[in-house]
Each structure stands twice: as structure tokens, then as C-alpha cells.
Amino acid sequence: MNMCTTKVAEEVLRTSLAGDTERLLELMAPDVVVEWPYRPEGVPGELRGRQAFAAFVAEHGGAITFHEYTGVEMHQTLDPEVVIVEYTVHGTVTATGRPFEQRPVTVLRVRDGQVVTYRDYVNPLPVMEALRL
């Protein structure tokens, strides 16, 4: 596995868990493409560019608090720029205070130390359930 790719993936997880938006945005290439193929209502399927991602995070970043990521597994691919990350997210929906747990699969393409594509396969049902009052 490309160590640079793995290090960037680890840093993406670390900064998102810590809520370090500034550092997270630095890890994204200016033309990054962020995708959520499965998502709750109100979340776009795709964002193009660091500025669009920054605007999304600014608007929605406080909706969920991440407490812990467990069971992190990184999988190498035949493409040295691509790493697949599986992990369990433990968090809380801010509006309801209700906890949730989900196990996303994230596919990152890293080039020159920055994420150029970020495809996040999440099950939206646990968050949707936690949103119910």
C-alpha cells in the first residue's frame, strides 16, 4: 500500500474526528470531488471543489458530533493512489441528542498528498433514526 495514501487517509479520519475543519480542507485538493452515493435527505450526492466542500461543512458540520471511530481497516488496491477504509462511527445527532452508530466504507484517491476523490458509502438509516424525536 502506498504509505503516502495511507497516511493521508489516516489524517482525514483524525481531522474529521477532531473537528479540525481547517486541516481537513487542507487535505482536500482544490478540485476534489466528494460523493455520497447513499445519503439522508438534504445531503447532496456530489460536491465539486474544495470551496463547495468547505461551504457544505460550514453549513452542516454541527449537525453531527463524532465521538469515536473504531475497527478501522485500510485496504490496498491495485491502484497505488486508492485506499478503501472501513470503520465504525460512534456519534450523536446534535438536534436530538440521540446517539447513532454506522459502518461506512470510504474510497479515497490521493495524489500528491491531497485527496482528489472522496466517495463515502454510508448507511443513512442510523442517522435518520437518531434524527427522529
Side-chain angles (χ1 to χ4, degrees):
M1 187 179 311
N2 183 329
M3 289 307 283
C4 181
T5 301
T6 304
K7 295 272 187 224
V8 171
E10 290 171 349
E11 185 73 2
V12 165
L13 290 179
R14 192 170 26 260
T15 58
S16 67
L17 183 60
D20 186 351
T21 303
E22 185 176 324
R23 177 65 182 135
L24 181 62
L25 292 172
E26 289 172 358
L27 292 167
M28 301 296 146
D31 59 348
V32 66
V33 176
V34 179
E35 299 174 79
W36 292 283
Y38 310 107
R39 62 200 173 275
E41 188 176 323
V43 174
E46 179 180 281
L47 297 171
R48 291 192 164 270
R50 185 189 295 148
Q51 289 182 332
F53 183 59
F56 176 82
V57 171
E59 183 177 345
H60 300 284
I64 294 174
T65 301
F66 300 120
H67 302 295
E68 183 179 24
Y69 297 159
T70 59
V72 177
E73 297 178 35
M74 300 222 180
H75 304 282
Q76 68 185 34
T77 68
L78 295 176
D79 185 332
E81 291 186 338
V82 176
V83 62
I84 299 169
V85 186
E86 294 181 84
Y87 56 106
T88 301
V89 174
H90 305 271
T92 303
V93 172
T94 305
T96 64
R98 293 181 66 191
F100 71 92
E101 180 179 302
Q102 61 185 189
R103 185 150 173 84
V105 174
T106 304
V107 181
L108 299 173
R109 176 175 297 278
V110 177
R111 188 174 298 136
D112 299 325
Q114 291 187 307
V115 176
V116 294
T117 60
Y118 187 118
R119 188 172 305 119
D120 205 11
Y121 294 93
V122 298
N123 177 357
L125 297 178
V127 172
M128 291 167 59
E129 179 63 30
L131 278 167
R132 293 190 188 137
L133 296 173

